[in-house]
């Protein structure tokens, strides 16, 4: 399929960014792109990669998801990449990175694959397939703090592009791929990657100028107005209630049956249906 090649020689000439993807590294197989990037960042000043460095792998043997989970994808089917940022932002602004990365991926999918896409709090990329929201991708943020400021942040993005139905991972949130949701039409990965990098740069620059991505991100959340259960993936029962909104740092505001309002910084959301239906949201 044309447009699926992700080697440096194919991607670099087509990059339409100022600094994201400069440099761009491609590997056929790594453990985890986030882990390799972390090792590069910690390797000492002479080797220190600049902000905007991207590492993409065609396959990961130890891909990591949130809450200690694995992230698995067959070779040649996905976008699996990490981007390094060096935001000199206060630590509590770290959530902006998740927000802007989510926005970037959603906008790239809309532009290239033209599929109905949304975000499930906090880090899931979701596609609406026959009225049901399924997970098509996820974000993993590895940040380093010093004196309550962000020193660097590695934003890992995993997107199921051309995974066949039979090869989709059996995960907590039902999964799909762009190909499956689009009626088994394969999507070329390179235009999608280029759009992701372009939008990442755009949204990061806006945030770096002090413009919060919160409102645009909040508008994309399929979670709001829904009955949900939020768990921490540690076996504890979690909290159930109506997701009423989010705060400016990305915390979820959840109203339980007794009327108490909880602010949750992290967790895993299970959508329980009503009061809003999927069709009403998007
Ligand atoms: C999640 O939904 O749990 C987050 C998944 C993040 C997966 C990506 S793939 C590229 C990067 N490298 C990793 O090991 N994980 C992230």
């Amino acid at each position: 399929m044309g447009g699926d090649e992700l080697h440096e020689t194919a991607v670099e000439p087509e990059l339409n960014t100022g600094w994201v993807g400069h440099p761009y590294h491609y590997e056929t197989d790594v453990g985890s792109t986030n882990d390799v990037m972390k090792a590069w960042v910690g390797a000492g000043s002479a080797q220190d990669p600049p902000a905007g460095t991207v590492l993409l792998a065609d396959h990961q043997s130890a891909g990591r998801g949130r809450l200690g989970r694995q992230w698995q994808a067959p070779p040649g089917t996905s976008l699996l990449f990490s981007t390094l940022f060096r935001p000199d932002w206060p630590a509590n602004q770290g959530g902006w990175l998740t927000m802007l990365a989510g926005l970037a991926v959603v906008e790239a999918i809309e532009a290239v694959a033209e599929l109905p896409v949304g975000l499930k709090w906090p880090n899931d990329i979701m596609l609406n397939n026959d009225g049901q929201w399924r997970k098509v991708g996820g974000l993993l943020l590895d940040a380093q703090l010093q004196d309550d400021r962000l020193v660097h942040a590695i934003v890992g993005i995993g997107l199921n592009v051309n995974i066949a139905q039979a090869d989709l991972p059996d995960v907590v949130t039902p999964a799909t791929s762009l190909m499956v949701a689009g009626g088994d039409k394969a999507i070329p990965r390179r235009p999608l990657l280029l759009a992701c990098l372009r939008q990442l740069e755009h949204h990061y620059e806006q945030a770096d100028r002090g413009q919060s991505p919160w409102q645009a991100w909040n508008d994309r959340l399929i979670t709001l107005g829904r009955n949900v259960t939020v768990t921490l993936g540690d076996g504890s029962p979690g909290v159930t209630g109506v997701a009423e909104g989010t705060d400016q740092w990305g915390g979820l505001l959840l109203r339980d049956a007794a009327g108490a309002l909880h602010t949750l910084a992290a967790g895993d959301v299970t959508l329980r249906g009503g009061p809003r239906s999927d069709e009403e949201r998007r």
Side-chain angles (χ1 to χ4, degrees):
M1 179 190 13
D4 208 47
E5 179 62 64
L6 297 172
H7 277 109
E8 287 97 343
T9 48
V11 170
E12 281 168 356
E14 294 185 13
L15 273 173
N16 56 357
T17 49
W19 53 277
V20 168
H22 302 276
Y24 169 81
H25 301 280
Y26 170 87
E27 294 289 342
T28 311
D29 218 317
V30 298
S32 149
T33 57
N34 267 36
D35 290 349
V36 172
M37 186 73 86
K38 217 188 283 183
W40 286 351
V41 174
S45 54
Q47 301 279 317
D48 235 6
T53 300
V54 169
L55 170 64
L56 179 140
D58 202 48
H59 179 251
Q60 298 181 124
S61 53
R64 290 193 291 117
R66 289 174 59 245
L67 306 174
R69 298 199 179 108
Q70 297 180 339
W71 186 264
Q72 293 174 331
T77 62
S78 299
L79 286 180
L80 310 165
F81 65 103
S82 301
T83 306
L84 176 67
F85 294 99
R86 296 184 179 278
D88 184 21
W89 300 349
N92 61 3
Q93 229 167 280
W96 284 17
L97 289 159
T98 306
M99 295 179 196
L100 67 89
L103 282 172
V105 175
V106 158
E107 289 166 4
I109 292 173
E110 283 178 344
V112 176
E114 298 178 358
L115 290 168
V117 61
L119 295 167
K120 179 158 79 71
W121 183 91
N123 290 28
D124 292 347
I125 318 290
M126 307 291 285
L127 276 187
N128 198 323
N129 198 195
D130 296 332
Q132 209 201 336
W133 288 101
R134 292 174 190 273
K135 180 164 171 170
V136 72
L139 311 169
L140 181 68
L141 177 69
D142 285 311
Q144 192 185 328
L145 301 175
Q146 197 173 21
D147 301 330
D148 236 22
R149 296 193 76 79
L150 286 158
V151 180
H152 70 251
I154 298 164
V155 175
I157 295 176
L159 194 54
N160 302 338
V161 184
N162 294 321
I163 305 187
Q165 178 74 53
D167 296 331
L168 284 166
D170 188 15
V171 282
V172 192
T173 307
T176 191
S177 70
L178 295 178
M179 182 174 79
V180 167
D184 281 336
K185 194 174 105 213
I187 306 280
R189 289 177 297 167
R190 193 165 67 249
L192 198 57
L193 171 68
L194 293 167
C196 283
L197 299 182
R198 177 91 195 134
Q199 293 312 101
L200 267 179
E201 180 173 289
H202 167 69
H203 285 293
Y204 182 87
E205 286 180 352
Q206 282 198 330
D208 205 36
R209 287 195 289 268
Q211 197 176 318
S212 169
W214 172 78
Q215 186 67 60
W217 171 78
N218 188 74
D219 289 348
R220 294 288 193 162
L221 291 175
I222 63 166
T223 322
L224 304 186
R226 303 281 300 259
N227 287 312
V228 301
T229 297
V230 182
T231 54
L232 289 172
D234 60 359
S236 58
V239 195
T240 295
V242 176
E244 287 196 344
T246 57
D247 66 22
Q248 60 173 323
W249 306 121
L252 185 69
L253 307 176
L254 189 74
R255 181 84 58 187
D256 71 20
L261 191 63
H262 304 253
T263 303
L264 304 167
D268 229 14
V269 165
T270 308
L271 302 174
R272 302 231 166 268
R276 276 187 210 176
S277 71
D278 293 339
E279 289 73 23
E280 283 169 317
R281 281 291 300 166
R282 280 187 76 76

